[in-house]
């Protein structure tokens, strides 16, 4: 199988699976138990938190484990609105956020919150100025992602944080950094809430984390209960998942700079290989080294995905979360219909090779030459 869909989820390295197995089989204590194996597990849990926090450049006591990125996004938004409940009920976000943010905002709109969704330009860009001009005295929260999961556009979160501090210091800033995980430092970003998810970097699915800055003094608990995660997110900790998460972070951090540089070269190589395919054009301003969106204008994306899948090549038609439905991100770019309906996403990881890109380019060329365009 040729796997070019790392933005959907990443393969789990053997070391991660082995670490999880060891925890499941040999260290199954509950971190809340007061005898030796429970205390041992609590110590390990704090060690894993430390590993992930130091990779994110934040203090471990401000990092809370969650079950996924979706949970982190929902928690951050609701916690911010609670903290700023006396400031106002206006939420500023963008039309290209992940559904975890947009669907949460839709629910909040039904509860009387006012949502402003900023529109990107045709390449997916949203500027700091655009964000700051839309901030109002009653804006409780700005939620803008760090890296777009479909087109790879990087948003100026650090600059927005600094601008917001000058313009309306009480407004809280959340960033969904799921696709930018490990390429940022929480301190440099300056956001009040940062969502990450393990399975995009080789951890198992079902574990993530939320950073909450000290500016949010008494964060609203997501799940009241037994008091785990400093009383903010109760529920017995998913120790094996978290162990796998920390191991995946540790492994990625070892070669992060080489991997990023290599991914950048691979992406340039892929752009070069795909450029010779007639009717194929790039989509969006992708600054992220691991995401490349293109359109084979006239050939519907789902047909391309199916055809390549039959040949053992995994790519996606937009985000894996959309399950074949037209993507709101591509719609927001306002592209001509035949371009928008033909967008596919290739995404790379440390294991991706030039040979895999060659095979994918050949399959796309073959699709273009041998399938009738339908649009
Ligand atoms: N945010 C972004 C940008 C994503 O790409 C994803 C996953 O695709 C999520 C949030 C949701 O993360 P999870 O699958 O861990 O819920």
């Amino acid at each position: 199988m040729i796997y070019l869909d790392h933005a959907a989820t990443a393969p789990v390295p053997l070391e991660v699976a082995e670490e999880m197995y060891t925890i499941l089989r040999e260290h199954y204590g509950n971190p809340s138990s007061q005898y030796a194996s429970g205390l041992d597990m609590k110590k390990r849990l704090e060690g894993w938190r430390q590993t992930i926090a130091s990779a994110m450049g934040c203090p471990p006591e401000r990092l809370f484990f969650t079950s996924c990125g979706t949970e982190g996004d929902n928690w951050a938004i609701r916690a911010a609105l609670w903290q700023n409940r006396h400031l106002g009920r206006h939420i500023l976000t963008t039309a290209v956020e992940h559904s975890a943010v947009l669907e949460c905002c839709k629910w909040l709109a039904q509860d009387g919150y006012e949502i402003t969704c900023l529109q990107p330009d045709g390449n997916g860009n949203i500027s700091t100025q655009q964000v700051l001009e839309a901030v109002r005295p009653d804006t409780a929260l700005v939620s803008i992602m760090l890296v777009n999961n479909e087109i790879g556009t990087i948003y100026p979160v650090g600059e927005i944080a600094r601008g917001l501090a000058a313009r309306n210091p009480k407004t809280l800033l959340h960033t969904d950094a799921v696709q930018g995980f490990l390429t940022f430092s929480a301190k440099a970003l300056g956001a009040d809430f940062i969502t990450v998810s393990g399975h995009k970097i080789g951890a198992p699915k079902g574990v993530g984390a939320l950073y909450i800055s000290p500016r949010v003094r008494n964060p609203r608990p997501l799940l009241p209960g037994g008091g785990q995660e400093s009383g903010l997110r109760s529920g017995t900790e998913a120790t094996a998942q978290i162990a796998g998460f920390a191991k995946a972070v540790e492994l990625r951090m070892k070669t992060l700079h080489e991997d990023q540089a290599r991914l950048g070269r691979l992406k340039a190589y892929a752009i070069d290989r795909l450029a010779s395919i007639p009717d194929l054009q790039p989509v969006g301003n992708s600054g992220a080294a691991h995401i490349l969106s293109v359109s084979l204008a006239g050939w519907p994306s789902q047909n391309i995905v199916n055809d390549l899948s039959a040949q053992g090549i995994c790519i996606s038609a937009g985000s894996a979360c959309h399950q074949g439905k037209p993507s709101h991100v591509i719609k927001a770019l306002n592209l001509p219909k035949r371009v928008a309906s033909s967008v596919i996403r290739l995404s790379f990881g440390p294991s991706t090779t030039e040979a895999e890109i060659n095979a994918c380019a050949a399959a796309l060329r073959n699709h273009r030459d041998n399938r009738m365009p339908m649009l």
Side-chain angles (χ1 to χ4, degrees), residues 35-325:
Y35 41 81
S37 69
L39 298 174
D40 169 65
M41 189 42 68
K42 176 74 180 155
K43 210 165 139 203
R44 286 173 191 264
L45 183 68
E46 294 317 316
W48 297 324
R49 194 188 311 278
Q50 175 70 60
T51 300
I52 299 165
S54 85
M56 284 175 66
C58 70
E61 65 277 11
R62 301 304 303 189
L63 189 70
F64 305 95
F65 290 117
T66 61
S67 70
C68 58
T70 301
E71 180 181 317
D73 284 344
N74 277 265
W75 184 11
I77 291 169
R78 286 172 189 277
L81 296 178
W82 173 255
Q83 158 111 353
N84 271 343
R85 61 195 177 283
H86 303 304
L87 185 70
R89 292 169 75 82
H90 177 234
I91 303 171
L92 178 57
T93 187
T94 82
V96 296
E97 296 303 307
H98 190 270
S99 314
V101 167
L102 290 179
E103 291 298 315
C104 179
C105 287
K106 273 191 204 161
W107 276 94
L108 289 162
Q110 290 179 24
D111 288 344
Y113 286 89
E114 195 186 334
I115 320 291
T116 301
C117 257
L118 296 174
Q119 296 298 321
D121 68 13
N123 283 319
N125 301 306
I126 291 171
S127 69
T128 303
Q129 191 189 354
Q130 214 181 329
V131 174
L132 295 180
E133 278 172 4
V135 173
R136 310 190 319 209
D138 65 338
T139 305
L141 167 70
V142 174
S143 181
I144 179 162
M145 67 201 324
L146 184 59
V147 175
N148 185 273
N149 48 304
E150 295 193 38
I151 52 176
T153 308
I154 300 175
Y155 296 101
V157 175
E159 212 176 79
I160 292 168
R162 289 188 291 279
L164 215 48
R167 194 183 167 97
N168 204 8
K170 283 200 170 149
T171 299
L172 292 167
L173 176 63
H174 164 240
T175 188
D176 172 337
V178 168
Q179 292 292 342
F181 192 23
L182 295 177
T183 64
F184 65 85
S185 129
K187 198 165 172 222
L189 277 188
D192 298 298
F193 298 89
I194 303 176
T195 306
V196 297
S197 176
H199 73 102
K200 308 294 183 181
I201 57 124
K205 291 157 197 56
V207 65
L210 179 67
Y211 162 75
I212 305 182
S213 86
R215 257 171 38 105
V216 187
R217 253 177 261 111
N218 292 308
R220 187 173 204 195
L222 174 72
L223 296 174
Q228 291 89 347
E229 296 299 285
S230 308
L232 298 182
R233 201 270 183 193
S234 292
T236 302
E237 298 86 345
T239 49
Q241 308 288 100
I242 297 169
F245 190 8
K247 180 56 83 180
V249 166
E250 194 186 303
L251 291 175
R252 285 274 175 120
M253 287 307 283
K254 273 191 197 158
T255 54
L256 186 67
H257 296 296
E258 299 90 295
D259 287 346
Q260 283 299 112
R262 195 174 152 272
L263 282 180
R265 288 195 298 273
L266 264 180
K267 184 170 156 186
Y269 181 78
I271 291 170
D272 191 52
R273 289 307 313 263
L274 297 177
S276 62
I277 303 176
D279 300 304
L280 191 138
Q281 62 184 74
V283 172
N285 168 20
S286 172
H290 69 299
I291 296 180
L292 175 61
S293 258
V294 294
S295 169
L296 188 54
W299 283 262
S301 45
Q302 197 54 51
N303 293 357
I304 305 173
V305 170
N306 296 346
D307 184 20
L308 266 62
S309 167
Q311 300 168 58
I313 303 173
C314 306
I315 59 165
S316 105
S319 159
C321 299
H322 290 101
Q323 299 165 341
K325 282 186 261 156

